[in-house]
Amino acid sequence: MPEPDHRVPVGRRVLLAMAGLGIAGIVAGAKVQGAVGRALGSGLGGYLPGGDRFRIYTITGSFPRIAPDAYRLSVSGLVGRNLALSLADLRSMPKTSLVRDFQCVTGWRVPSVHWAGVRLADVLDAAGVHPGAAALTFDSYDGADTESLTLDQARRPDVIVAYEMLGGPITTAHGGPVRLYVAPMYGYKSLKWLSNVRLVESVVPGFWERNGYSVDAWVGASNGRSDPPIK
Amino acid sequence: MSDASAAGAPAPASIAAHGTSLVRFDVAERAAHWANATLFLVLIATALPLYFPSIEAAVGRRALVADIHTWCGVALPVPLAVSLAGPWGARLRHDLRRVNRWSAEEVRWLRSFGTRRITRPDKFSAGQKLYAAFTAGAILVMLASGSVLRWFGPFPLSFRTGATFVHDVLATVIVVVVSAHVALAVTHPTALRSMVTGRVSTAWARRHAVAWLDEQSG
């Protein structure tokens, strides 16, 4: 019988093409995703695989589990008096509800997320801010993540200590029972499993900021990104 | 099937070629396939709760699910590598060369988007060859993008965005393509059975893999 004419290495070409596209996508995907999103608009863009659902990131091996009854928010540093607020304490303070898009610096955006909690400004007023304080540092119950805000940023009405998200108590994966929510900034600012707020003299860059993300994380105006404004 | 009685008989390929059935996959190939298939299924199953909050709410244990997903992903190249590496991998190595190389007729089939008939089908159909190459590429790209997602430290931060994009898009494509693979397997029971028993009848080979059959007896 004649040898079959197996000549063209199509398999290798498919493999190399996929590897090439994959590497190109990792290196330049940030730009591609932005362009595709803009071309399709926010409505259709949501149906893309890159679209509008939460990705959960942790920087530690597991989620810290905090019983709601045992939860305490410590407020310390340059304050008139240290606070240790329970979930009940937070719930007894004036409640603020927000409905805002959640924009991650890695490109995904979840539209119209419901949040509720206490304005960080109200918590600061309850503690009494020392005149020398100009910034805040935040610690997470995960023992690794930290964040920062200037005092002016922290006093914005759309920066809250959140205990509700998506219409119910915040789940452990989303940073419950209590997390920070900084509406006008990229998601990494909204520290999960909030444990400590400390008033300090100047900004101390947080975990992601020491890893290269912008300290002032305004959506659309930081991290070299041009995302449309939060709605 | 007419070859049912011969299915369990471990006959050397040289004898099998002249009987009523042929060895299509040896033990190493079948072990590689099913180990790989199991990892793919576990990866898809664990990806669903990681990706869809509604499923996650029902499943819970997110950290555990994420760990299973990560380590099954890391293990993904292992079945193929182990099956290829040793003396037991001779047939798989031979089949990989066969999967790689396409006849002129198969290339025309591809250029016509699968509409042109192939008169002399090989041991593997052109679609199966394409699927094998896709699977190999998918393993590489998912492993690379998944690694950047999990171990982002050494990379520029924009790579996290790109890796998220690539991992999500290719995952969607994989689910579609793997579903088609399973659907075709279920609707082609003889081909599916050959991945379980390793054998096909010469009658099947004459209809579906005549170029291969001619090689065997030539």
Side-chain angles (χ1 to χ4, degrees), chain A residues 125-215:
Chain A
D125 288 344
V129 177
H130 193 280
L136 293 81
T137 66
F138 302 90
D139 296 323
S140 167
Y141 270 103
D142 71 4
D145 204 4
T146 56
E147 260 308 331
S148 69
L149 286 174
T150 68
L151 188 55
D152 287 343
Q153 290 164 358
R155 286 200 180 280
R156 287 176 60 108
D158 52 0
V159 175
I160 64 173
V161 174
Y163 51 74
E164 280 180 21
M165 178 186 175
L166 301 165
I170 303 176
T171 63
T172 298
H174 281 304
V178 175
R179 71 181 289 178
L180 192 61
Y181 176 55
V182 183
M185 295 194 180
Y186 286 106
Y188 63 90
K189 277 286 178 179
S190 295
L191 183 100
K192 291 176 171 181
W193 309 295
L194 179 62
S195 68
N196 294 311
V197 179
R198 261 180 301 118
L199 277 290
V200 292
E201 287 176 0
S202 59
V203 168
V204 180
F207 175 85
W208 286 109
E209 295 148 16
R210 291 194 305 276
N211 279 283
Y213 286 149
S214 304
V215 175

Side-chain angles (χ1 to χ4, degrees), chain A residues 30-178:
Chain A
K31 290 196 179 79
V32 174
Q33 192 178 32
V36 171
R38 275 190 295 279
L40 291 174
S42 61
L44 261 180
Y47 293 101
L48 286 177
D52 61 345
R53 45 182 64 89
F54 282 98
R55 316 289 193 291
I56 311 280
Y57 302 119
T58 56
I59 59 174
T60 56
S62 61
F63 301 131
R65 292 194 177 274
I66 309 124
D69 290 344
Y71 177 81
R72 293 292 181 279
L73 172 62
S74 156
V75 183
S76 62
L78 301 172
V79 290
R81 61 186 184 109
N82 291 345
L83 300 178
L85 300 170
S86 69
L87 198 52
D89 293 336
L90 290 169
R91 286 186 190 282
S92 70
M93 296 172 73
K95 184 174 179 178
T96 293
S97 291
L98 295 170
V99 178
R100 293 282 196 284
D101 299 351
F102 189 87
Q103 172 77 50
C104 179
V105 72
T106 65
W108 51 270
R109 184 183 190 116
V110 183
S112 305
V113 181
H114 167 265
W115 299 85
V118 182
R119 281 185 188 169
L120 183 53
D122 292 346
V123 173
L124 296 179
D125 288 344
V129 177
H130 193 280
L136 293 81
T137 66
F138 302 90
D139 296 323
S140 167
Y141 270 103
D142 71 4
D145 204 4
T146 56
E147 260 308 331
S148 69
L149 286 174
T150 68
L151 188 55
D152 287 343
Q153 290 164 358
R155 286 200 180 280
R156 287 176 60 108
D158 52 0
V159 175
I160 64 173
V161 174
Y163 51 74
E164 280 180 21
M165 178 186 175
L166 301 165
I170 303 176
T171 63
T172 298
H174 281 304
V178 175

Side-chain angles (χ1 to χ4, degrees), chain B residues 122-204:
Chain B
D122 193 3
K123 179 176 182 181
F124 307 108
S125 73
Q128 287 166 341
K129 291 182 176 187
L130 190 60
Y131 181 80
F134 169 83
T135 304
I139 289 173
L140 275 181
V141 175
M142 292 308 269
L143 193 58
S145 57
S147 298
V148 174
L149 287 178
R150 181 80 182 216
W151 296 286
F152 50 81
F155 304 102
L157 284 167
S158 73
F159 281 25
R160 287 183 82 214
T161 306
T164 304
F165 179 65
V166 168
H167 210 73
D168 285 3
V169 171
L170 187 52
T172 309
V173 176
I174 287 171
V175 168
V176 172
V177 173
V178 168
S179 301
H181 175 69
V182 172
L184 283 166
V186 169
T187 54
H188 295 74
T190 311
L192 173 59
R193 202 171 297 124
S194 75
M195 194 47 97
V196 179
T197 67
R199 306 181 76 91
V200 287
S201 68
T202 44
W204 180 90

